[in-house]
Amino acid sequence: MAKIKLTKAPFKGTESQERELRAALVEIKKRKGAVMPALQKAQEIYGYLPIEVQTILAGVLEVPVEEVFGVATFYSQFTLNPRGEYNVSVCMGTACYVKGAGEVLDSIKVQLGIEPDECSADGRFSLNATRCIGCCGLAPVMTINDNVYGKVSVNDLEKILNNY
Amino acid sequence: MSNVINLKINNTPVSVPAGSTILEAARAAGIRIPTLCYLKDINAIGACRVCVVEVKGARSLVASCVYPVNEGMEVFTSTPKVIQSRKTTVELMLSDHNKNCLSCVRSTNCELQNIAEELGCNAQKYIGETKFYPVDDAHASIVRDNSKCILCRRCVAACKNYQTVSVIGANARGFDTHIGCLFEKSLNETACVGCGQCIAVCPTGALREKDEIDNVVRALNDPTKTVVVGTAPSVRVALGEEFGLPIGANVEGKMAAALRRLGFKHVFDVDFAADMTIMEEGYEFIGRVKNGGVLPMITSCSPGWVKFIEHNFPELIPHLSSTKSPQQIFGAIAKTYYAEKLGINPKDMYVVTIMPCTAKKFEKGRQHQDAAGVPDIDAVLTTRELARFVKRQGVMFNELPEEPFDTPFGIGSGAGLIFGSSGGVMEAALRTVAEVLDGKPLKNLDFKDVRGMEGIKEASYKIAGLTVKVAVASGLKNARTLMEKIKKGEADYHFIEIMACPGGCINGGGQPIKSAEVRNFTDYRATRMKVIYASDKAMTLRKSHENPAVKEIYKDYFGEPNSHRAHHILHTQYTVRDKY
């Protein structure tokens, strides 16, 4: 199957987010080709584009929801996965990669049970493979939210993740 | 600007109306350009690049299906450069195609296969990564196998532009692009109505009906089962096409003979059940008019349409006639009245219908379609499946004699027959309603205003001092237009007929598949339609209420239309469904 990553994390959108989206859509609807800007706005508000949000959008814009999904999965800027409570980023820059970031990422994938750009079903962890984050001296580097971990080895991972 | 454009195609001067495409101009000049993604009126996207031609002065080859003609243009449709380009394009498509052609349901009727052969393609020329997709066969009617999909988007266009159902589209991007549903759901979990127009336009075997032949074979070989079969009105004017006969050839007699050769002992005509539908629906309509019931009343014969209104206009469900469709009435009568007559348990009866329709496969599994406590219908074969079944069993269709249907349900009127065409149910109902209300025979049985291929037809008739306003729509896009009008209170019709497929059942999603070549340049639907009306005209029995089999069953069993028993056996209920 094609590589469309769907989230299993429950939708936690709030009423105020929905109000904000619906208000924004009133203006956006008047434009030609409204689906793209509407999706951008929705992602700005919710951080990602779950089925619940795409359904609201299709209803207001009066376009088939499958068409909205087609656009959302065409452009790589759109994501269907939320950021977890803890967002794990593994640097895949050249230095980190040479120092074993690939193995680090593989190990995290197994431990969290998710692929990059996905979020765990309980909504706690999300995973990214990022480009160089600019501290090559600490390679391989990973971050969890604002915490930076340097010179990470596969053996350290369980301990690091257990802090969260 | 002049209305006529003069150009040269392959050095031959051609004059065509302004706005024509190169493809159309070439056709007018007797030159065929191959196409794959192009479908007249619904899919002109220039995506597949199979129809490319050379235009003098143009930088590169152009897609003739979307390129408009210009004054003085010089076009070349078959230069070595053009042929080589088409060949490479098709070979690239084949590189990622599931080439299990020997056992494909569309083998020998596949547009990709035809064009590959025509161009002398090497199917193994490019070897590379291939995609894997699980087959989606959860839906009652439609099976999707994306390993055979060439991304022409004809199915997407049919779903959106003919039907405004819009549950399939292109998901993801680049090599990962595939046709699918919202959030990668199975078609079964969407608001798909099962009309099968996607199958009808698919150039390959990526879409097909859910095959039920094996179930029928099992039943025919089960000594405990009494197997009953009935054929829908429109099947007889299309089935012959699967055996090389001209479009629209009426093969009613050969079809009945073929069914007997396949082992069916009770070969009936659903035209009879259509007459029963008219009795129930006609009297239901009269009742609504007299008693101030919900108007306009809308027909409920087309299961694709019924599911469409349930998903999209649930607030209008009270407008639907509660009368079952002819298929379901056929099964319901077989398993009650007929089973009683034969002295058998309805559980031991197996009812098969031959339908132009894929949505009927879903309808048979609906709730409230089980008059005898078991499903009214056990198996539905489309026209295409029947043709395959006939071929598989070695029955020489074209050499068969013409045989009549069996009694008692082999008698159908012309009114039942015209159910197969958009406008037919309305006309059949009007013939009966007018005679019942006026209490005297109609002078003219032809209600021509409701005939024809137009998407929405309107008419009014004076019946018993009342002006009855009617509307007929086919294709769900047109149905949607009418429903919006009703919602806004802008429609003052009394009676509306709706068929899900454009043109009605003669163009159903289960009918023989016509290639883009036929769809783009002939009106095969009008041809089938003409045969239906000509056959009706030639019949002496043209009114449902005069059908002797209908009269007898009311006398023997139901008493009168809309009686308590008729309500129990011949009527149904509907379900509100989600929009997505």
Side-chain angles (χ1 to χ4, degrees), chain B residues 36 94 97-114 133-137 141-152 154-155 179 198-211 384 388 513:
Chain B
L36 262 183
L94 291 170
H97 187 75
N98 175 349
K99 290 182 279 291
N100 197 4
C101 302
L102 284 177
S103 52
C104 180
V105 71
R106 291 291 298 275
S107 190
T108 72
N109 184 22
C110 169
E111 291 180 41
L112 182 65
Q113 190 181 49
N114 288 346
Y133 295 97
V135 173
D136 179 6
D137 62 356
S141 313
I142 299 168
V143 179
R144 172 177 285 281
D145 180 354
N146 269 344
S147 68
K148 293 175 182 171
C149 174
I150 57 167
L151 297 171
C152 66
R154 277 160 49 169
C155 57
I179 307 301
C198 54
I199 302 176
V201 299
C202 182
T204 72
L207 287 164
R208 62 177 192 270
E209 63 286 327
K210 183 164 269 182
D211 195 305
R384 295 191 292 270
R388 284 207 292 278
I513 286 172

Side-chain angles (χ1 to χ4, degrees), chain B residues 307-579:
Chain B
K307 191 156 184 273
F308 182 81
I309 191 173
E310 288 175 332
H311 281 295
N312 297 288
F313 298 94
E315 67 277 26
L316 298 181
I317 287 177
H319 289 268
L320 276 185
S321 161
S322 66
T323 307
K324 283 182 181 176
S325 72
Q327 159 171 297
Q328 297 302 129
I329 284 187
F330 179 74
I333 290 179
K335 289 196 180 178
T336 54
Y337 172 76
Y338 193 51
E340 239 171 74
K341 224 174 160 170
L342 296 179
I344 61 167
N345 188 326
K347 288 191 181 72
D348 296 327
M349 185 179 267
Y350 192 90
V351 182
V352 182
T353 53
I354 312 299
M355 289 283 143
C357 181
T358 48
K360 290 280 173 196
K361 290 174 182 282
F362 169 82
E363 184 184 40
K364 77 174 194 290
R366 287 181 64 104
Q367 280 188 305
H368 314 297
Q369 302 281 3
D370 46 3
V374 287
D376 295 336
I377 298 292
D378 296 284
V380 175
L381 300 184
T382 59
T383 310
R384 295 191 292 270
E385 285 166 273
L386 176 60
R388 284 207 292 278
F389 192 12
V390 167
K391 288 174 189 168
R392 190 172 299 171
Q393 299 299 113
V395 175
M396 307 279 281
F397 189 85
N398 291 339
E399 290 172 25
L400 288 171
E402 308 218 343
E403 292 179 2
F405 289 108
D406 292 322
T407 51
F409 309 133
I411 307 171
S413 74
L417 176 63
I418 58 175
F419 263 59
S421 165
S422 162
V425 179
M426 179 59 70
E427 181 165 347
L430 288 169
R431 287 179 192 173
T432 290
V433 169
E435 291 206 352
V436 169
L437 288 180
D438 281 336
K440 57 173 195 246
L442 274 170
K443 281 199 195 81
N444 181 9
L445 287 183
D446 298 333
F447 292 80
K448 288 194 169 152
D449 297 336
V450 295
R451 296 183 183 180
M453 271 307 302
E454 237 178 297
I456 298 179
K457 295 166 273 191
E458 295 172 310
S460 29
Y461 298 100
K462 264 258 182 306
I463 298 174
L466 178 76
T467 304
V468 176
K469 286 191 73 175
V470 304
V472 171
S474 70
L476 293 173
K477 183 185 181 182
N478 298 314
R480 186 184 287 277
T481 305
L482 276 187
M483 291 311 109
E484 298 289 358
K485 265 176 104 171
I486 295 178
K487 264 173 78 174
K488 285 186 202 140
E490 291 168 5
D492 58 347
Y493 310 115
H494 297 88
F495 197 2
I496 298 178
E497 176 207 294
I498 297 197
M499 292 293 153
C501 294
C505 309
I506 43 110
N507 185 38
Q511 293 282 41
I513 286 172
K514 300 285 112 185
S515 66
E517 186 77 17
V518 174
R519 299 181 80 94
N520 291 339
F521 297 106
T522 67
D523 197 348
Y524 65 97
R525 300 177 295 190
T527 311
R528 289 177 186 161
M529 206 179 253
K530 237 168 84 187
V531 177
I532 289 242
Y533 286 111
S535 305
D536 161 53
K537 190 92 189 170
M539 290 168 80
T540 41
L541 176 60
R542 296 182 67 197
K543 301 172 207 162
S544 300
H545 56 284
E546 289 181 354
N547 182 337
V550 169
K551 284 183 178 168
E552 194 180 317
I553 200 169
Y554 276 110
K555 198 172 110 233
D556 265 18
Y557 197 68
F558 289 116
E560 54 190 32
N562 294 340
S563 68
H564 183 72
R565 186 179 243 176
H567 253 283
H568 173 65
I569 294 175
L570 307 177
H571 290 250
T572 187
Q573 294 169 39
Y574 306 104
T575 313
V576 174
R577 297 175 200 273
D578 289 338
K579 194 169 170 195

